Amino acid sequence: MDFYEVNMPTVLASKFPANVIPAANGLKDILTLIPMLKYENNQEKALNHLAKLFLDMNFAGEAYRAAKLVPYGKYRDASAIVDMIEKLNCRAVDINLEIITTCNLRCPMCSNAGTTGKPYDLNGKIMPLDVFQGVWDKIKEFTDTLVLVGQGETFTHPKIYDILDYVAPKPVHIDTNGNVKLDADRIVRSSIKELAFSLDGVDQRTYERYRVGGNFDKVIENIKAVTRAKKDFGGGPIISLKYVIFKHTEPYVDEARNLVDELGMDKLKFVPCLVHPTHSEKLIKDFLPYGAVKNRSRIKYVDFKNLTLGLTDYAESPHCIAPLSNPQIKVNGDVTICCSSFEVVGNIFENTFSEIWHSEKYKAFRKEILSNRHQFSDCRACSREHINLGHILDGTILEYPKPQEPCEESTLWIENLKIDQEYVDYLTSNNLFKDIEYFRQMNVIHPDVTIPNGFRYGKDINGFRNISIS
């Protein structure tokens, strides 16, 4: 079975994340051409080659910046890249479509829970089947995959299986919390390409700490039903487990691997806890993974005054490719450039998708975000991964623009977070000695914290069966 530990990569000495390394030949070519960008002469040919290499490696922002420095029409590759981005002579890869905003859970960092500083103003909405059909007829020729995602639980839509029938055979991706009875037979016979179960925990205790109102056993039952139906039918979607790395789930990644294997699932995806500066400091401290701070956590600081996140070196790219590939259509028809943006560029009820996709407003945002996403508040507050090219562009004509400096008095520095006495006492009272040992080895327990007398631990975090308290 393949495990895809995405979004929390090991950073190499060159500061390239592990999930970029498969493009090794491209990297070698890029490193060969970089020195040419440090001189005034003979740059244009190098920039043309670099633009093509950047695009092949999915660094669209870098590709665009390099191509724009080449006189238009002088080299085919550079001119084609400029045309692709400015005229958008391409199709959206995935279109995200929100068909419902009601949810059966109350996850603390979600707007549906009412605990965030920026509530979602479309809560409680459902897109009727006939409206969905009209939207789908407008967008189906522009996308390779329909991603049913939004603020709600997709499978609570009363017409979800009729929706799946209508979009077939177009591939569909769905994330589900698995807390609603699923029709496994219809799922495996549909055109769902991947069904991802969000299961952040290995038992009811770890699961319900974030998935408030969720039932761990119900999710397991649904996973088993879909895997059985897939086996009986002889085909069906990729069945994956999406395990969010929170403070309380990070000690249990090995158990998550074992769980996926035992259930016969196809894929395991580790994803980071997404943080927004409108979340309270308490929420961030409660859920942001602490051990990951010692393993190059993606988030460097949270600036509550400027509503800005600072990301670590490998994740602080000023570029984002979402405007090229992943528009979001909300339940009221509003179209935004991605699922994290609140900037509306059109409404699918009022316009065709082509009119929106090629509109002057969309084009302007697309160019500006590809050039430097830091100029937009929504983008500065985004904690999703934006892999950059490390420091290899420093000192060249492609050197990255710097993000704004944080406001010191309103900033929470993640690297300074430590496990406090209250959390250790909670772990102790619940006999969670494995968690204590994990955080001890990560060196993230505050030095003033008192570990309970008699607490014994092994030499490594794999020997938890020997951990006890007397």
Side-chain angles (χ1 to χ4, degrees), residues 288-318:
L288 194 72
Y290 278 44
V293 172
K294 305 303 292 185
N295 292 329
R296 295 191 60 84
S297 174
R298 296 162 50 257
I299 301 171
K300 185 183 293 185
Y301 64 80
V302 183
D303 183 344
F304 297 104
K305 180 180 179 179
N306 293 317
L307 298 181
T308 299
L309 295 177
L311 306 183
T312 47
D313 291 339
Y314 79 85
E316 192 64 284
S317 172

PDB file of all heavy atoms in Angstrom, residues 288-318:
ATOM      1  N   LEU A 288      -2.889  23.154  17.219  1.00  0.00           N
ATOM      2  CA  LEU A 288      -1.708  23.138  16.358  1.00  0.00           C
ATOM      3  C   LEU A 288      -0.717  22.103  16.878  1.00  0.00           C
ATOM      4  O   LEU A 288      -0.436  22.048  18.071  1.00  0.00           O
ATOM      5  CB  LEU A 288      -1.057  24.510  16.349  1.00  0.00           C
ATOM      6  CG  LEU A 288      -0.025  24.725  15.243  1.00  0.00           C
ATOM      7  CD1 LEU A 288      -0.722  24.842  13.893  1.00  0.00           C
ATOM      8  CD2 LEU A 288       0.792  25.985  15.501  1.00  0.00           C
ATOM      9  N   PRO A 289      -0.176  21.255  16.007  1.00  0.00           N
ATOM     10  CA  PRO A 289       0.760  20.219  16.470  1.00  0.00           C
ATOM     11  C   PRO A 289       2.048  20.819  17.027  1.00  0.00           C
ATOM     12  O   PRO A 289       2.646  21.691  16.416  1.00  0.00           O
ATOM     13  CB  PRO A 289       1.020  19.387  15.210  1.00  0.00           C
ATOM     14  CG  PRO A 289       0.691  20.286  14.071  1.00  0.00           C
ATOM     15  CD  PRO A 289      -0.406  21.178  14.545  1.00  0.00           C
ATOM     16  N   TYR A 290       2.436  20.348  18.202  1.00  0.00           N
ATOM     17  CA  TYR A 290       3.610  20.882  18.875  1.00  0.00           C
ATOM     18  C   TYR A 290       4.889  20.160  18.460  1.00  0.00           C
ATOM     19  O   TYR A 290       5.920  20.766  18.279  1.00  0.00           O
ATOM     20  CB  TYR A 290       3.444  20.780  20.393  1.00  0.00           C
ATOM     21  CG  TYR A 290       2.634  21.899  20.998  1.00  0.00           C
ATOM     22  CD1 TYR A 290       1.460  22.340  20.408  1.00  0.00           C
ATOM     23  CD2 TYR A 290       3.057  22.520  22.163  1.00  0.00           C
ATOM     24  CE1 TYR A 290       0.721  23.352  20.963  1.00  0.00           C
ATOM     25  CE2 TYR A 290       2.322  23.549  22.738  1.00  0.00           C
ATOM     26  CZ  TYR A 290       1.143  23.965  22.136  1.00  0.00           C
ATOM     27  OH  TYR A 290       0.413  24.976  22.684  1.00  0.00           O
ATOM     28  N   GLY A 291       4.812  18.832  18.346  1.00  0.00           N
ATOM     29  CA  GLY A 291       5.997  18.095  17.945  1.00  0.00           C
ATOM     30  C   GLY A 291       6.499  18.516  16.589  1.00  0.00           C
ATOM     31  O   GLY A 291       7.705  18.534  16.331  1.00  0.00           O
ATOM     32  N   ALA A 292       5.572  18.907  15.724  1.00  0.00           N
ATOM     33  CA  ALA A 292       5.962  19.313  14.378  1.00  0.00           C
ATOM     34  C   ALA A 292       6.776  20.601  14.388  1.00  0.00           C
ATOM     35  O   ALA A 292       7.477  20.908  13.439  1.00  0.00           O
ATOM     36  CB  ALA A 292       4.720  19.490  13.501  1.00  0.00           C
ATOM     37  N   VAL A 293       6.692  21.371  15.484  1.00  0.00           N
ATOM     38  CA  VAL A 293       7.498  22.582  15.584  1.00  0.00           C
ATOM     39  C   VAL A 293       8.972  22.229  15.509  1.00  0.00           C
ATOM     40  O   VAL A 293       9.781  22.936  14.912  1.00  0.00           O
ATOM     41  CB  VAL A 293       7.185  23.336  16.899  1.00  0.00           C
ATOM     42  CG1 VAL A 293       8.165  24.492  17.102  1.00  0.00           C
ATOM     43  CG2 VAL A 293       5.757  23.858  16.885  1.00  0.00           C
ATOM     44  N   LYS A 294       9.332  21.083  16.091  1.00  0.00           N
ATOM     45  CA  LYS A 294      10.722  20.653  16.057  1.00  0.00           C
ATOM     46  C   LYS A 294      11.071  20.000  14.721  1.00  0.00           C
ATOM     47  O   LYS A 294      12.230  19.752  14.440  1.00  0.00           O
ATOM     48  CB  LYS A 294      11.007  19.664  17.196  1.00  0.00           C
ATOM     49  CG  LYS A 294      10.641  20.194  18.581  1.00  0.00           C
ATOM     50  CD  LYS A 294      11.347  21.497  18.902  1.00  0.00           C
ATOM     51  CE  LYS A 294      12.833  21.329  19.062  1.00  0.00           C
ATOM     52  NZ  LYS A 294      13.479  22.575  19.483  1.00  0.00           N
ATOM     53  N   ASN A 295      10.060  19.690  13.922  1.00  0.00           N
ATOM     54  CA  ASN A 295      10.295  19.082  12.612  1.00  0.00           C
ATOM     55  C   ASN A 295       9.896  20.059  11.497  1.00  0.00           C
ATOM     56  O   ASN A 295       9.249  19.682  10.536  1.00  0.00           O
ATOM     57  CB  ASN A 295       9.502  17.780  12.470  1.00  0.00           C
ATOM     58  CG  ASN A 295      10.025  16.706  13.376  1.00  0.00           C
ATOM     59  OD1 ASN A 295      11.206  16.661  13.665  1.00  0.00           O
ATOM     60  ND2 ASN A 295       9.141  15.842  13.858  1.00  0.00           N
ATOM     61  N   ARG A 296      10.243  21.316  11.692  1.00  0.00           N
ATOM     62  CA  ARG A 296       9.958  22.355  10.710  1.00  0.00           C
ATOM     63  C   ARG A 296       8.467  22.499  10.440  1.00  0.00           C
ATOM     64  O   ARG A 296       7.979  22.241   9.350  1.00  0.00           O
ATOM     65  CB  ARG A 296      10.721  22.119   9.403  1.00  0.00           C
ATOM     66  CG  ARG A 296      12.224  22.215   9.548  1.00  0.00           C
ATOM     67  CD  ARG A 296      12.885  22.229   8.180  1.00  0.00           C
ATOM     68  NE  ARG A 296      12.440  23.357   7.375  1.00  0.00           N
ATOM     69  CZ  ARG A 296      12.961  24.580   7.441  1.00  0.00           C
ATOM     70  NH1 ARG A 296      13.918  24.825   8.283  1.00  0.00           N
ATOM     71  NH2 ARG A 296      12.519  25.529   6.660  1.00  0.00           N
ATOM     72  N   SER A 297       7.745  22.901  11.478  1.00  0.00           N
ATOM     73  CA  SER A 297       6.332  23.205  11.306  1.00  0.00           C
ATOM     74  C   SER A 297       6.174  24.224  10.178  1.00  0.00           C
ATOM     75  O   SER A 297       6.999  25.117  10.011  1.00  0.00           O
ATOM     76  CB  SER A 297       5.760  23.775  12.602  1.00  0.00           C
ATOM     77  OG  SER A 297       4.431  24.212  12.419  1.00  0.00           O
ATOM     78  N   ARG A 298       5.109  24.113   9.424  1.00  0.00           N
ATOM     79  CA  ARG A 298       4.908  25.007   8.289  1.00  0.00           C
ATOM     80  C   ARG A 298       4.631  26.444   8.730  1.00  0.00           C
ATOM     81  O   ARG A 298       4.892  27.387   8.006  1.00  0.00           O
ATOM     82  CB  ARG A 298       3.731  24.509   7.456  1.00  0.00           C
ATOM     83  CG  ARG A 298       3.947  23.177   6.821  1.00  0.00           C
ATOM     84  CD  ARG A 298       2.644  22.515   6.384  1.00  0.00           C
ATOM     85  NE  ARG A 298       1.809  23.403   5.603  1.00  0.00           N
ATOM     86  CZ  ARG A 298       0.741  24.017   6.084  1.00  0.00           C
ATOM     87  NH1 ARG A 298       0.397  23.871   7.329  1.00  0.00           N
ATOM     88  NH2 ARG A 298       0.018  24.772   5.304  1.00  0.00           N
ATOM     89  N   ILE A 299       4.059  26.637   9.921  1.00  0.00           N
ATOM     90  CA  ILE A 299       3.647  27.959  10.362  1.00  0.00           C
ATOM     91  C   ILE A 299       4.675  28.526  11.331  1.00  0.00           C
ATOM     92  O   ILE A 299       4.999  27.906  12.342  1.00  0.00           O
ATOM     93  CB  ILE A 299       2.257  27.904  11.018  1.00  0.00           C
ATOM     94  CG1 ILE A 299       1.234  27.355  10.018  1.00  0.00           C
ATOM     95  CG2 ILE A 299       1.831  29.281  11.511  1.00  0.00           C
ATOM     96  CD1 ILE A 299      -0.106  27.057  10.614  1.00  0.00           C
ATOM     97  N   LYS A 300       5.192  29.702  11.013  1.00  0.00           N
ATOM     98  CA  LYS A 300       6.208  30.335  11.846  1.00  0.00           C
ATOM     99  C   LYS A 300       5.571  31.234  12.902  1.00  0.00           C
ATOM    100  O   LYS A 300       5.992  31.252  14.055  1.00  0.00           O
ATOM    101  CB  LYS A 300       7.157  31.149  10.978  1.00  0.00           C
ATOM    102  CG  LYS A 300       8.329  31.760  11.740  1.00  0.00           C
ATOM    103  CD  LYS A 300       9.198  32.627  10.826  1.00  0.00           C
ATOM    104  CE  LYS A 300       9.913  31.809   9.780  1.00  0.00           C
ATOM    105  NZ  LYS A 300      10.844  32.646   8.968  1.00  0.00           N
ATOM    106  N   TYR A 301       4.566  32.011  12.493  1.00  0.00           N
ATOM    107  CA  TYR A 301       3.898  32.886  13.462  1.00  0.00           C
ATOM    108  C   TYR A 301       2.474  33.191  12.997  1.00  0.00           C
ATOM    109  O   TYR A 301       2.116  32.995  11.829  1.00  0.00           O
ATOM    110  CB  TYR A 301       4.678  34.198  13.652  1.00  0.00           C
ATOM    111  CG  TYR A 301       4.768  35.070  12.420  1.00  0.00           C
ATOM    112  CD1 TYR A 301       3.706  35.892  12.022  1.00  0.00           C
ATOM    113  CD2 TYR A 301       5.923  35.090  11.634  1.00  0.00           C
ATOM    114  CE1 TYR A 301       3.787  36.680  10.899  1.00  0.00           C
ATOM    115  CE2 TYR A 301       6.013  35.889  10.514  1.00  0.00           C
ATOM    116  CZ  TYR A 301       4.936  36.683  10.150  1.00  0.00           C
ATOM    117  OH  TYR A 301       5.000  37.467   9.021  1.00  0.00           O
ATOM    118  N   VAL A 302       1.650  33.674  13.931  1.00  0.00           N
ATOM    119  CA  VAL A 302       0.302  34.136  13.646  1.00  0.00           C
ATOM    120  C   VAL A 302       0.205  35.574  14.140  1.00  0.00           C
ATOM    121  O   VAL A 302       0.392  35.847  15.328  1.00  0.00           O
ATOM    122  CB  VAL A 302      -0.775  33.279  14.352  1.00  0.00           C
ATOM    123  CG1 VAL A 302      -2.170  33.758  13.962  1.00  0.00           C
ATOM    124  CG2 VAL A 302      -0.598  31.804  14.021  1.00  0.00           C
ATOM    125  N   ASP A 303      -0.066  36.492  13.220  1.00  0.00           N
ATOM    126  CA  ASP A 303      -0.189  37.902  13.548  1.00  0.00           C
ATOM    127  C   ASP A 303      -1.683  38.230  13.607  1.00  0.00           C
ATOM    128  O   ASP A 303      -2.335  38.385  12.576  1.00  0.00           O
ATOM    129  CB  ASP A 303       0.524  38.751  12.484  1.00  0.00           C
ATOM    130  CG  ASP A 303       0.495  40.245  12.788  1.00  0.00           C
ATOM    131  OD1 ASP A 303      -0.310  40.659  13.637  1.00  0.00           O
ATOM    132  OD2 ASP A 303       1.265  40.989  12.164  1.00  0.00           O
ATOM    133  N   PHE A 304      -2.225  38.335  14.815  1.00  0.00           N
ATOM    134  CA  PHE A 304      -3.665  38.525  14.982  1.00  0.00           C
ATOM    135  C   PHE A 304      -4.125  39.925  14.582  1.00  0.00           C
ATOM    136  O   PHE A 304      -5.261  40.108  14.149  1.00  0.00           O
ATOM    137  CB  PHE A 304      -4.061  38.247  16.438  1.00  0.00           C
ATOM    138  CG  PHE A 304      -3.803  36.841  16.882  1.00  0.00           C
ATOM    139  CD1 PHE A 304      -2.735  36.531  17.699  1.00  0.00           C
ATOM    140  CD2 PHE A 304      -4.628  35.807  16.463  1.00  0.00           C
ATOM    141  CE1 PHE A 304      -2.495  35.231  18.108  1.00  0.00           C
ATOM    142  CE2 PHE A 304      -4.404  34.507  16.862  1.00  0.00           C
ATOM    143  CZ  PHE A 304      -3.333  34.214  17.687  1.00  0.00           C
ATOM    144  N   LYS A 305      -3.246  40.915  14.700  1.00  0.00           N
ATOM    145  CA  LYS A 305      -3.618  42.279  14.348  1.00  0.00           C
ATOM    146  C   LYS A 305      -3.737  42.453  12.843  1.00  0.00           C
ATOM    147  O   LYS A 305      -4.722  43.010  12.337  1.00  0.00           O
ATOM    148  CB  LYS A 305      -2.597  43.267  14.913  1.00  0.00           C
ATOM    149  CG  LYS A 305      -2.924  44.725  14.594  1.00  0.00           C
ATOM    150  CD  LYS A 305      -1.888  45.669  15.185  1.00  0.00           C
ATOM    151  CE  LYS A 305      -2.215  47.117  14.838  1.00  0.00           C
ATOM    152  NZ  LYS A 305      -1.226  48.061  15.423  1.00  0.00           N
ATOM    153  N   ASN A 306      -2.736  41.977  12.117  1.00  0.00           N
ATOM    154  CA  ASN A 306      -2.733  42.134  10.658  1.00  0.00           C
ATOM    155  C   ASN A 306      -3.383  40.972   9.925  1.00  0.00           C
ATOM    156  O   ASN A 306      -3.400  40.943   8.691  1.00  0.00           O
ATOM    157  CB  ASN A 306      -1.290  42.291  10.160  1.00  0.00           C
ATOM    158  CG  ASN A 306      -0.653  43.581  10.633  1.00  0.00           C
ATOM    159  OD1 ASN A 306      -1.296  44.634  10.608  1.00  0.00           O
ATOM    160  ND2 ASN A 306       0.586  43.514  11.087  1.00  0.00           N
ATOM    161  N   LEU A 307      -3.925  40.011  10.700  1.00  0.00           N
ATOM    162  CA  LEU A 307      -4.575  38.823  10.121  1.00  0.00           C
ATOM    163  C   LEU A 307      -3.657  38.159   9.095  1.00  0.00           C
ATOM    164  O   LEU A 307      -4.029  37.913   7.945  1.00  0.00           O
ATOM    165  CB  LEU A 307      -5.913  39.196   9.481  1.00  0.00           C
ATOM    166  CG  LEU A 307      -6.969  39.773  10.428  1.00  0.00           C
ATOM    167  CD1 LEU A 307      -8.258  40.067   9.673  1.00  0.00           C
ATOM    168  CD2 LEU A 307      -7.254  38.828  11.587  1.00  0.00           C
ATOM    169  N   THR A 308      -2.444  37.869   9.558  1.00  0.00           N
ATOM    170  CA  THR A 308      -1.419  37.337   8.674  1.00  0.00           C
ATOM    171  C   THR A 308      -0.750  36.129   9.304  1.00  0.00           C
ATOM    172  O   THR A 308      -0.539  36.087  10.518  1.00  0.00           O
ATOM    173  CB  THR A 308      -0.352  38.417   8.395  1.00  0.00           C
ATOM    174  OG1 THR A 308      -0.984  39.524   7.755  1.00  0.00           O
ATOM    175  CG2 THR A 308       0.747  37.896   7.501  1.00  0.00           C
ATOM    176  N   LEU A 309      -0.406  35.162   8.456  1.00  0.00           N
ATOM    177  CA  LEU A 309       0.387  34.027   8.885  1.00  0.00           C
ATOM    178  C   LEU A 309       1.776  34.138   8.286  1.00  0.00           C
ATOM    179  O   LEU A 309       1.932  34.510   7.123  1.00  0.00           O
ATOM    180  CB  LEU A 309      -0.245  32.702   8.416  1.00  0.00           C
ATOM    181  CG  LEU A 309      -1.599  32.330   8.987  1.00  0.00           C
ATOM    182  CD1 LEU A 309      -2.086  31.043   8.344  1.00  0.00           C
ATOM    183  CD2 LEU A 309      -1.544  32.163  10.489  1.00  0.00           C
ATOM    184  N   GLY A 310       2.771  33.813   9.083  1.00  0.00           N
ATOM    185  CA  GLY A 310       4.117  33.692   8.554  1.00  0.00           C
ATOM    186  C   GLY A 310       4.441  32.225   8.404  1.00  0.00           C
ATOM    187  O   GLY A 310       4.235  31.437   9.336  1.00  0.00           O
ATOM    188  N   LEU A 311       4.893  31.829   7.236  1.00  0.00           N
ATOM    189  CA  LEU A 311       5.206  30.430   6.987  1.00  0.00           C
ATOM    190  C   LEU A 311       6.713  30.226   7.004  1.00  0.00           C
ATOM    191  O   LEU A 311       7.487  31.167   6.850  1.00  0.00           O
ATOM    192  CB  LEU A 311       4.614  29.982   5.644  1.00  0.00           C
ATOM    193  CG  LEU A 311       3.116  30.233   5.456  1.00  0.00           C
ATOM    194  CD1 LEU A 311       2.649  29.681   4.117  1.00  0.00           C
ATOM    195  CD2 LEU A 311       2.308  29.624   6.587  1.00  0.00           C
ATOM    196  N   THR A 312       7.117  28.995   7.183  1.00  0.00           N
ATOM    197  CA  THR A 312       8.547  28.696   7.215  1.00  0.00           C
ATOM    198  C   THR A 312       9.148  28.854   5.820  1.00  0.00           C
ATOM    199  O   THR A 312       8.439  28.991   4.830  1.00  0.00           O
ATOM    200  CB  THR A 312       8.782  27.267   7.731  1.00  0.00           C
ATOM    201  OG1 THR A 312       7.890  26.386   7.061  1.00  0.00           O
ATOM    202  CG2 THR A 312       8.552  27.176   9.226  1.00  0.00           C
ATOM    203  N   ASP A 313      10.471  28.796   5.750  1.00  0.00           N
ATOM    204  CA  ASP A 313      11.177  29.116   4.513  1.00  0.00           C
ATOM    205  C   ASP A 313      10.657  28.341   3.312  1.00  0.00           C
ATOM    206  O   ASP A 313      10.432  28.905   2.245  1.00  0.00           O
ATOM    207  CB  ASP A 313      12.676  28.832   4.688  1.00  0.00           C
ATOM    208  CG  ASP A 313      13.320  29.812   5.652  1.00  0.00           C
ATOM    209  OD1 ASP A 313      12.752  30.896   5.848  1.00  0.00           O
ATOM    210  OD2 ASP A 313      14.380  29.482   6.207  1.00  0.00           O
ATOM    211  N   TYR A 314      10.463  27.017   3.467  1.00  0.00           N
ATOM    212  CA  TYR A 314      10.098  26.233   2.293  1.00  0.00           C
ATOM    213  C   TYR A 314       8.645  26.427   1.905  1.00  0.00           C
ATOM    214  O   TYR A 314       8.230  26.063   0.809  1.00  0.00           O
ATOM    215  CB  TYR A 314      10.385  24.743   2.525  1.00  0.00           C
ATOM    216  CG  TYR A 314       9.360  24.017   3.359  1.00  0.00           C
ATOM    217  CD1 TYR A 314       8.204  23.497   2.784  1.00  0.00           C
ATOM    218  CD2 TYR A 314       9.548  23.836   4.725  1.00  0.00           C
ATOM    219  CE1 TYR A 314       7.267  22.830   3.542  1.00  0.00           C
ATOM    220  CE2 TYR A 314       8.623  23.158   5.485  1.00  0.00           C
ATOM    221  CZ  TYR A 314       7.476  22.666   4.894  1.00  0.00           C
ATOM    222  OH  TYR A 314       6.553  22.012   5.660  1.00  0.00           O
ATOM    223  N   ALA A 315       7.837  27.019   2.809  1.00  0.00           N
ATOM    224  CA  ALA A 315       6.418  27.183   2.511  1.00  0.00           C
ATOM    225  C   ALA A 315       6.030  28.630   2.253  1.00  0.00           C
ATOM    226  O   ALA A 315       4.864  28.908   2.006  1.00  0.00           O
ATOM    227  CB  ALA A 315       5.586  26.630   3.671  1.00  0.00           C
ATOM    228  N   GLU A 316       6.981  29.554   2.294  1.00  0.00           N
ATOM    229  CA  GLU A 316       6.662  30.971   2.187  1.00  0.00           C
ATOM    230  C   GLU A 316       6.750  31.492   0.757  1.00  0.00           C
ATOM    231  O   GLU A 316       7.147  32.618   0.507  1.00  0.00           O
ATOM    232  CB  GLU A 316       7.590  31.771   3.109  1.00  0.00           C
ATOM    233  CG  GLU A 316       7.217  33.225   3.327  1.00  0.00           C
ATOM    234  CD  GLU A 316       5.896  33.429   4.021  1.00  0.00           C
ATOM    235  OE1 GLU A 316       4.861  33.252   3.363  1.00  0.00           O
ATOM    236  OE2 GLU A 316       5.888  33.749   5.210  1.00  0.00           O
ATOM    237  N   SER A 317       6.405  30.673  -0.205  1.00  0.00           N
ATOM    238  CA  SER A 317       6.432  31.121  -1.593  1.00  0.00           C
ATOM    239  C   SER A 317       5.445  32.256  -1.806  1.00  0.00           C
ATOM    240  O   SER A 317       4.324  32.207  -1.293  1.00  0.00           O
ATOM    241  CB  SER A 317       6.086  29.960  -2.532  1.00  0.00           C
ATOM    242  OG  SER A 317       5.933  30.442  -3.852  1.00  0.00           O
ATOM    243  N   PRO A 318       5.825  33.289  -2.561  1.00  0.00           N
ATOM    244  CA  PRO A 318       4.877  34.359  -2.867  1.00  0.00           C
ATOM    245  C   PRO A 318       3.908  33.968  -3.968  1.00  0.00           C
ATOM    246  O   PRO A 318       3.027  34.743  -4.317  1.00  0.00           O
ATOM    247  CB  PRO A 318       5.791  35.495  -3.321  1.00  0.00           C
ATOM    248  CG  PRO A 318       6.958  34.792  -3.944  1.00  0.00           C
ATOM    249  CD  PRO A 318       7.162  33.547  -3.127  1.00  0.00           C
TER     250      PRO A 318
END
